[in-house]
Amino acid sequence: MAHRIGIIGGDGIGPEVISEGLKVINAAGVNLETVEYDLGGDRYGRDGTVLPDEVIEEWRSLDALYLGAVGTPDVPPGLIERGLLLKMRFALDLYVNLRPFTYAENNVDFCVVRENTEGSYAGEGGVLRQGTEHEIATQGSVNTRMGVERCIRFAFDLASNRKGHLTLVHKTNVLTFAGDLWERTFNEVAKEYPNVDTSYNHVDAACIYFVQSPDQYDVIVTDNLFGDILTDLGGAISGGIGMAASANLNPTKTGPSMFEPVHGSAPDIAGQGIANPTAAILSGAMMLEFLGENEAADRIKEVCADPAVQVEGTSSIGDAIAQRLV
């Protein structure tokens, strides 16, 4: 039976890279029933639509969502990110953002588990006397025991099935309230996983280690904001952001999970056929793995790891990968 997948090509290079991802999935022998959704900056520019509640309800009947990229220069910053991406994460309880990084040349082989629905992105805060010399802006960070623990448990389970090491990254010496909750929860859950070795890094130190000695990492777990920053750096040290895949997971499967490349919509190169679709293709492989299509997912990841498929051109890369799967 075909998996029912919602396709959100989005803006800029998004539709181009998702097209290649679907080509590769088809070549791997997986049957998908796709439902197209016209959402993103272009759609907002036409009629003001961002993400209607009825679309979210329709998504609940799907097996997964596959997203290219969203955002256009003429839309106010944050409008699409908060109105579409964050709304999707909160509404579908996509509480784990999983980003794997593999690059033999730099001894990179680790995953970052980022808490995806709390922290600084939860929207707590406000502004007083806006536009005056006495303006005050506050931006809170929301951390709940439930939200922190379920993310940490996911990370421990993942580490148990990899190399058996988990690193907590935070800033406990300065963020003493949120950091204390994360550290205490991490240490308590660790007692249930005697097979997993643990360590802790301040986030600024982790940025140094990412560059100087990334081979020390297996699985990293961190909060929403730190995870957002660290995973962009992870992309930079593992072949570039065009290779960085991600999954926004609802591990309990009470709703569909969403899979997307880490890169943005890159409107400056849209339509030129030069965007690297590998991140989107690897995100598609993560989607297949989550859907239980492990053999196809492994084959796609294996082919993508071969430098020989990194030819010139968006469709050429997709063709090179697809041809090796047929």
Side-chain angles (χ1 to χ4, degrees):
M1 193 167 99
H3 303 286
R4 297 189 69 242
I5 309 298
I7 305 297
I8 310 157
D11 303 309
I13 64 171
E16 300 173 47
V17 297
I18 286 297
S19 176
E20 299 308 311
L22 292 172
K23 176 196 296 180
V24 168
I25 289 172
N26 181 64
V30 179
N31 189 20
L32 301 182
E33 178 188 339
T34 60
V35 184
E36 300 277 347
Y37 291 93
D38 178 16
L39 297 170
D42 286 340
R43 173 68 186 274
Y44 176 79
R46 292 198 307 272
D47 61 15
T49 297
V50 181
L51 177 56
D53 290 341
E54 55 268 27
V55 171
I56 293 176
E57 290 308 308
E58 186 175 327
W59 283 348
R60 296 186 190 279
S61 66
L62 301 177
D63 297 314
L65 299 167
Y66 193 25
L67 185 147
V70 292
T72 53
D74 53 337
V75 175
L79 192 151
I80 298 299
E81 292 86 348
R82 181 161 293 281
L84 197 159
L85 296 177
L86 294 189
K87 182 177 179 179
M88 179 193 307
R89 292 176 190 173
F90 298 148
L92 299 177
D93 203 19
L94 308 179
Y95 65 84
V96 165
N97 187 287
L98 177 62
R99 298 187 180 183
F101 301 99
T102 305
Y103 192 53
E105 186 175 327
N106 285 5
N107 295 318
V108 173
D109 181 15
F110 63 83
C111 294
V112 177
V113 176
R114 165 191 172 193
E115 200 291 315
N116 210 31
T117 58
E118 296 188 347
S120 302
Y121 294 4
E124 183 192 45
V127 63
L128 295 172
R129 307 186 187 98
Q130 189 172 35
T132 75
E133 61 181 311
H134 301 293
E135 182 171 345
I136 302 170
T138 62
Q139 193 76 58
S141 177
V142 176
N143 300 267
T144 69
R145 172 67 190 228
M146 181 273 291
V148 170
E149 182 172 338
R150 65 183 183 175
C151 182
I152 287 173
R153 286 190 179 278
F154 180 93
F156 269 105
D157 287 336
L158 181 62
S160 296
N161 292 302
R162 282 178 50 91
K163 293 178 285 187
H165 190 275
L166 179 61
T167 304
L168 170 65
V169 172
H170 210 281
K171 191 69 175 173
T172 56
N173 58 337
V174 176
L175 304 177
T176 54
F177 302 119
D180 177 63
L181 173 58
W182 273 88
E183 189 169 44
R184 279 188 295 105
T185 306
F186 183 83
N187 292 336
E188 290 169 19
V189 174
K191 296 174 184 177
E192 302 176 31
Y193 293 84
N195 60 318
V196 177
D197 295 326
T198 61
S199 60
Y200 171 80
N201 291 162
H202 289 324
V203 64
D204 45 346
C207 290
I208 297 172
Y209 301 148
F210 265 39
V211 176
Q212 292 184 344
S213 55
D215 55 315
Q216 70 179 276
Y217 292 117
D218 177 21
V219 179
I220 295 164
V221 64
T222 190
D223 83 343
N224 209 336
L225 177 59
F226 294 148
D228 193 4
I229 297 167
L230 279 175
T231 51
D232 280 356
L233 179 56
I237 64 168
S238 57
I241 207 72
M243 306 289 288
S246 78
N248 296 264
L249 302 177
N250 177 334
T252 61
K253 298 189 177 182
T254 57
S257 293
M258 186 269 280
F259 302 82
E260 60 172 337
V262 172
H263 61 68
S265 60
D268 56 320
I269 61 170
Q272 298 180 38
I274 61 175
N276 190 334
T278 305
I281 292 168
L282 288 170
S283 298
M286 294 181 75
M287 177 175 70
L288 295 185
E289 190 171 40
F290 195 71
L291 294 172
E293 301 284 355
N294 296 312
E295 181 181 353
D298 289 343
R299 290 171 60 213
I300 292 171
K301 288 187 285 186
E302 182 180 354
V303 173
C304 286
D306 186 347
V309 301
Q310 293 301 313
V311 294
E312 187 174 341
T314 307
S315 61
S316 296
I317 293 174
D319 288 342
I321 295 171
Q323 287 165 7
R324 295 187 179 213
L325 294 167
V326 175

